[in-house]
Amino acid sequence: MSGATDHFLVRGGARLSGAVRVSGAKNSVLKLMAASLLAEGTTVLGNVPRILDVAVMGEVLRRLGCEVVREGSSVRITVPERPGHEADYDLVRRIRASIAVLGPLVARCGEAKVALPGGDAIGSRGLDMHVAGLVKLGATVDSEHGYLIARAPRLSGAAVWLDFPSVGATENLLMAATLAKGTTVIDNAAREPEIVDLCQMLVQMGALIDGVGSSTLTVEGVETLSPVQHETVPDRIVAGTWAVAAVMTRGAVTVLGSRPEHLDMPLEKLTQAGATVTVVDDGFHVEMDRRPSAVDVVTLPYPGFATDFQPLFLGLNTIAEGTSMITENVFESRWMFVDELVRLGAEVRTDGHHAVVRGREQLSGAPVTAHDIRAGAGLVLAGLVADGVTEVGDVHHIDRGYAGFVDTLVALGADVQRISVAEPDWLD
Ligand code: EPU
């Protein structure tokens, strides 16, 4: 497993150019893996990224009694007739998304015991809507000794209204509702492309879901679901990361295997910053020939501007011409990495939900630390436009969500090196 001591050495100055191919979305595949628990037998997921989070989720499923095997870009998951029902702290604290097994397990086994994930670098990230929704579906949910324990001999359909279109709560409730008795209506549901992907897999499995892609999902429960083969939707956040990298370095990058229609907002913002974005066969091309102009962004649930792009656009604004305002509405404390950017010479001030960024001609390389996946990626991109060497520490965060991050940057012409004790064995 990749060590916490690994770091990246980034030498700024290169203009990125070339083509990259993105694989499936982390934030989809982790839930597709959880959804496989809903059916006995072998589910095969395609376009699965080689990232740390997939390996950890595979381990969560193995400990539930599943066989999980990677075959090329696919992952084959064989779910037993009676899977286990416990996900322990050791794994859940490494990957919050393992909370996604809660809904499927209680629906399929009548009981689920999942460790509470605890806090992380981007805010407290409560689970109240997951719990309230399951209670509405007839489960009893207790919190004991650091575990959430949900029980219901059989869930029953109900009307659930989410206070906020939470991605995780929508997914958990959706999966639980597929095997509930009767009809569930999830209102104010999240409608990210990854949720549409999950709905499409569930429908293939035999679930009855109406309103896919909308904020009202109606699920008619069925008795059993069947295993399927399913291709994971492309990772829009990874695709957007390469686009931002192209713009920051005044480069020209073609992003293949992606769906530009899932990136309308960020690509529009890059255009406002001065880039030329062209849709091409199987993806899009981004080109930039000058210093970017500052762009304001306001994060919101999809189809609004994704919070996962916020650190990347904040980084872009640090070297833009002009002053920008970034408003973070989804997570309460996604500013931790601002202090790291300041170490690179960025001029950023935060106040509550807002950050004001005054663009500078150039940043100046320094040692910095990655606190989460997107902040880590943002720091590497900042290093690409900094003078001298930027050493990014704790890059295991980047490994969680980006496959071959350094190799991709090097292929595009960047001067980036991974300094590690050993290659991560999950890449095999
Ligand atoms: N929230 C609650 N109560 C709940 C659920 C959520 O208060 O019961 C709050 C959270 O604290 C947060 C907000 O609602 O402030 C949004 O949370 P949401 O449930 O939508 O996010 P999530 O499911 O925890 C997923 C992605 C995140 C992404 C967000 C928003 C996965 C594995 N993670 O998180 O991705 O930022 O949706 O789009 O799907 C990343 O990939 O780096 C990442 C953090």
Side-chain angles (χ1 to χ4, degrees), residues 197-316:
D197 196 28
L198 174 62
C199 286
Q200 285 168 347
M201 171 163 152
L202 292 170
V203 167
Q204 252 184 300
M205 293 172 83
L208 302 173
I209 307 173
D210 207 37
V212 174
S214 81
S215 54
T216 306
L217 294 169
T218 305
V219 187
E220 192 66 48
V222 295
E223 294 294 323
T224 55
L225 294 170
S226 313
V228 288
Q229 294 199 7
H230 180 86
E231 286 294 300
T232 313
V233 71
D235 199 315
R236 65 196 162 102
I237 311 294
V238 171
T241 302
W242 304 131
V244 173
V247 173
M248 286 178 75
T249 62
R250 303 184 200 185
V253 172
T254 305
V255 182
L256 298 171
S258 71
R259 294 213 198 141
E261 68 272 22
H262 293 164
L263 288 146
D264 283 344
M265 285 283 273
L267 293 182
E268 171 58 26
K269 289 287 173 187
L270 292 179
T271 306
Q272 285 172 19
T276 306
V277 179
T278 327
V279 172
V280 299
D281 202 21
D282 197 25
F284 62 94
H285 177 76
V286 183
E287 212 160 326
M288 184 68 161
D289 58 6
R290 63 175 177 83
R291 184 178 173 198
S293 306
V295 282
D296 293 341
V297 302
V298 178
T299 70
L300 282 173
Y302 194 82
F305 187 92
T307 172
D308 290 342
F309 285 129
Q310 182 263 96
L312 305 168
F313 276 74
L314 203 154
L316 181 145

Side-chain angles (χ1 to χ4, degrees), residues 346-428:
E347 278 188 57
V348 189
R349 293 186 62 176
T350 59
D351 185 10
H353 287 279
H354 305 287
V356 175
V357 188
R358 191 175 307 181
R360 299 189 64 154
E361 192 86 42
Q362 189 161 40
L363 300 175
S364 133
V368 288
T369 304
H371 294 294
D372 73 67
I373 307 173
R374 313 302 168 192
L379 288 170
V380 175
L381 300 199
L384 293 176
V385 291
D387 184 29
V389 178
T390 297
E391 189 178 326
V392 182
D394 282 1
V395 298
H396 58 285
H397 287 293
I398 301 175
D399 296 336
R400 289 189 47 207
Y402 291 90
F405 195 70
V406 167
D407 291 348
T408 306
L409 284 171
V410 168
L412 292 174
D415 187 345
V416 184
Q417 245 180 306
R418 182 180 188 116
I419 309 293
S420 61
V421 184
E423 270 301 298
D425 56 12
W426 48 268
L427 284 175
D428 295 336

